[in-house]
Amino acid sequence: MRVVLVGAGGMGKAWLATILADPAVELAGVVDLDLDVARSALADAGVPDLPVGTDAVELARQTGADAVVNVTVPQAHHPVTTAALFAGYPVLGEKPVAPTVAQALSLVAASEASGKPFVVSQSRRYNAHAELFQAQARALGDLGSLATEFFKAPHFGGFREEMDHVLLVDMAIHQFDLARFLLEAEPVSVYCEEFNPPWSWYAGAASAAAVFEMSSGARYTFTGSWCAPGLETSWNGAWRLSGAAGSATWDGDHDPVVEGAQAGPAADPGEGIAGSLAAFTRFLADGTPLWGEVHDNVLSLAMVEAAVESAATGARVRLDDVLDRAHAQAVADERRDDVLAVLKGWGSARAALRR
Ligand SMILES: NC(=O)c1ccc[n+]([C@@H]2O[C@H](COP(=O)([O-])OP(=O)(O)OC[C@H]3O[C@@H](n4cnc5c(N)ncnc54)[C@H](O)[C@@H]3O)[C@@H](O)[C@H]2O)c1
């Protein structure tokens, strides 16, 4: 599979190294709005002669690529991915699927209208310990509660220290997505509070607490902070799961610890973005099912949007209401007739996402 990589920033460089290391994938070229950034990423990776460009579709056509990997900033996810899908290229894109659920629904419809797959790389699912934790969750029978504590104190500098809802939008989407994966259930509603401790070095709320009701009846609770020095958790967070047949904890970095019914061994899904890329390659080659197909991924972003809305209003927010409002917004904003026809043809966004 020959791919064009779009976006050569911090995460783009990690993707560049991952693509070069995967024997099933060939890098056709690198696109960035800033050509010097693209050139220097290629030079740093030891492949300075590969083609560069500023337009993904143009470079994909010039180089005869098979697919596009979109690692641009979130604001560029919708335009870059839509253009690639309608030019005939399958797309693997970084999380979040888009900045808003409305744009995410437009991308679901664009994938349907173009007939090309769009997969969101939610790379924290690709983790052997998380896979084992999910197997353990199944062994514990009916599940009552899943909880994540996420406490870290990074000084990123740059956009994160200025953005609104920084913990919920930039970080918690990983844990919310993992909660869907671990519970094998979908979010129904959420109550959330977010706040910024007095010592925070972030402009937006760096701390949050949220309780989700899930479709299985289980509750998922998230508490976290990005300005919590001391006794820091792992980047995956610290997890606790309680089921009818016992309990399990996971520190995010090692195998889970269990008291109760034990699961057998679990398959290794590969690690992080390398696992995500390998799954995408297999999916395109022979249709092997994978995580993150855009229909499936939207609900992870919807959890974030619902939590932010709950924190702003002080009310419990239903996910169906978030999806209905996003659907109406997507219809109002859509500029492509073919995508609009798909959006209008859905009975409801929730029903469309179950496909
Ligand atoms: N999975 C993870 O753990 C993880 C970690 C970090 C970042 N990310 C995600 O990766 C993505 C990129 O983040 P980053 O930290 O690399 O950002 P960045 O700002 O460092 O780099 C983004 C690059 O995209 C380029 N770009 C922007 N618009 C473009 C367009 N229309 N066409 C071509 N290039 C364009 C910019 O010039 C820039 O070089 C984001 O969606 C972010 O959320 C994921």
Side-chain angles (χ1 to χ4, degrees), residues 6-7 9-12 32-33 71-74 76-77 80 94-96 123 174:
V6 197
M11 201 60 193
D32 200 289
L33 292 179
V71 194
T72 57
V73 291
H77 287 183
V80 169
E94 255 299 345
K95 68 85 205 166
S123 55
H174 287 297

Side-chain angles (χ1 to χ4, degrees), residues 47 75 84 172 223 245 305 351:
V47 283
Q75 289 70 16
T223 54
E305 209 162 284

Side-chain angles (χ1 to χ4, degrees), residues 6-13 15 31-34 37-38 53-56 70-77 79-80 94-96 121-124 159-160 170 174 273:
V6 197
M11 201 60 193
K13 287 187 184 125
W15 276 95
V31 170
D32 200 289
L33 292 179
D34 185 338
V37 167
T54 54
D55 183 275
N70 183 358
V71 194
T72 57
V73 291
Q75 289 70 16
H77 287 183
V80 169
E94 255 299 345
K95 68 85 205 166
S121 172
Q122 207 78 58
S123 55
R124 283 174 193 273
F159 73 95
R160 285 190 183 82
D170 200 59
H174 287 297
I273 59 175

Side-chain angles (χ1 to χ4, degrees), residues 281-299:
T281 315
R282 283 195 301 273
F283 170 70
L284 293 186
D286 60 16
T288 305
L290 83 177
W291 301 313
E293 195 281 326
V294 64
H295 290 73
D296 178 62
N297 184 262
V298 171
L299 276 171

